[in-house]
Amino acid sequence: MTHQRASLLLALLVGSALSFAPSPHTTVTLRRIQQSHSSTILNAGGFEWEDPTSDEADPGVENPFKNPSLLKSTDGDDSLKVDPARLLSPRLRGCNLYFIGMMGSGKSTVGDLVARRMGTYNFLDTDTILERAAGMSIPEVFEAEGEEAFRVAEAQVLDSVHAHVRIVVSTGGGLVMRNQNWSKLQTGLVVYLKVDPEVIMKRIEGTDRPLLQTENPLETLQKLTEERKERYEQADVTVEIEEGMSVEDVADKCVRALHDFIDDNPPAWKQAKAKAAADGLDWVQ
């Protein structure tokens, strides 16, 4: 019966979830335009190869938090010359961002704000895509189809969006628990919004969240958090959120953490280039 329910829900999603993702045609067209105008394409063994060390491939954008001239305004106030989130986009070079964390942690609100501030990234919410495709709210899906059918459909939605580039994705709280989903998240950078269950409970008190329809919602939330903790903490970036922080504060913290992560994890070719320069060697031309 569970399998039949999952099949019915998946039938609703086929052809629908994809309509909420960036168009593959648009992505391919943009990529071709970018290659024809701004990339160094070399012929290597009969194949086209984009040189990762070219000036076009490496935009040369550094961490703005380590560049005082970018962060200080000449007007004498505390405003920034440039939004650090705007400089995050070229440093990611198309890599997707996936926000994970418990229900009520702010993944959708923060993810949307980060994407808008970046300027060249689109925002997608897997729960919203699923609801629109199914024509039902998440609680209605749980009631009509069951949790297992929901999880199968959720995985299908992720499968439909993860192949695209330059997107910020907010995921369902339990999505990370399936290995097939986690492997797809590894194609991008994963940001964990860590919020204490007590703080979350204050945010969603009186909620219709399906998994919290129990005698003691806080206890249930604490148990779910503990069950998912090991997977959550495998994220590339963990952002701890304290009670009273605004959405803007959390977004700022995410942007800074991502810039720092990129600094701490440069691509292998960039490390080799830096080592060659330090050794007084000419980089391969």
Side-chain angles (χ1 to χ4, degrees), residues 51 53 268-274 276-277 281-285:
D51 181 6
T53 68
W269 67 263
K270 201 165 189 176
Q271 295 181 58
K273 186 174 183 179
L281 302 175
D282 290 331
W283 185 247
V284 177
Q285 299 296 322

Side-chain angles (χ1 to χ4, degrees), residues 18-252:
L18 286 172
S19 66
F20 296 99
S23 167
H25 173 72
T26 302
T27 302
V28 172
T29 301
L30 286 173
R31 187 179 299 119
R32 287 174 178 168
I33 292 174
Q34 291 166 350
Q35 286 180 343
S36 63
H37 292 285
S38 62
S39 297
T40 302
I41 304 297
L42 305 175
N43 291 320
F47 296 94
E48 287 189 344
W49 173 65
E50 182 177 347
D51 181 6
T53 68
S54 68
D55 291 338
E56 293 87 356
D58 180 11
V61 178
E62 302 298 335
N63 188 337
F65 294 100
K66 297 179 180 179
N67 187 340
S69 65
L70 287 176
L71 293 180
K72 292 182 179 178
S73 172
T74 56
D75 298 331
D77 56 26
D78 293 331
S79 61
L80 304 181
K81 282 185 177 181
V82 62
D83 186 347
R86 187 72 62 168
L87 299 181
L88 185 59
S89 180
R91 299 195 77 200
L92 287 171
R93 300 177 65 189
C95 180
N96 294 337
L97 296 179
Y98 295 98
F99 280 80
I100 67 172
M102 289 298 295
M103 62 184 86
S105 60
K107 302 183 296 290
S108 298
T109 308
V110 174
D112 181 45
L113 179 57
V114 169
R116 285 190 283 111
R117 285 177 53 182
M118 289 173 68
T120 58
Y121 271 57
N122 293 313
F123 173 72
L124 295 174
D125 185 318
T126 58
D127 281 351
T128 299
I129 293 175
L130 195 155
E131 286 181 329
R132 292 180 181 176
M136 294 183 283
S137 67
I138 299 300
E140 289 172 339
V141 171
F142 265 78
E143 183 178 355
E145 308 291 344
E147 182 177 359
E148 179 60 24
F150 169 78
R151 296 302 178 193
V152 173
E154 183 180 53
Q156 177 72 12
V157 170
L158 179 63
D159 190 54
S160 73
V161 303
H162 94 282
H164 297 275
V165 297
R166 293 181 176 83
I167 54 175
V168 177
V169 183
S170 168
T171 64
L175 179 143
V176 298
M177 299 306 291
R178 290 197 171 207
N179 289 334
Q180 67 183 89
N181 294 337
W182 186 249
S183 64
K184 291 181 176 67
L185 298 184
Q186 298 309 295
T187 61
L189 292 185
V190 182
V191 181
Y192 169 34
L193 299 186
K194 185 177 182 180
V195 190
D196 289 338
E198 292 76 13
V199 175
I200 292 177
M201 205 63 233
K202 291 179 181 179
R203 294 179 177 181
I204 62 176
E205 193 170 0
T207 182
D208 62 350
R209 311 264 178 161
L211 297 180
L212 296 185
Q213 302 309 303
T214 62
E215 292 183 3
N216 191 330
L218 176 57
E219 184 179 304
T220 302
L221 187 62
Q222 292 170 331
K223 182 179 179 181
L224 286 172
T225 301
E226 189 60 32
E227 290 175 353
R228 300 169 181 175
K229 179 180 178 181
E230 183 177 355
R231 184 55 59 84
Y232 284 157
E233 293 183 346
Q234 293 178 40
D236 298 301
V237 172
T238 296
V239 176
E240 296 190 9
I241 303 175
E242 299 175 359
E243 187 174 6
M245 289 181 67
S246 67
V247 175
E248 291 75 15
D249 290 339
V250 177
D252 286 343

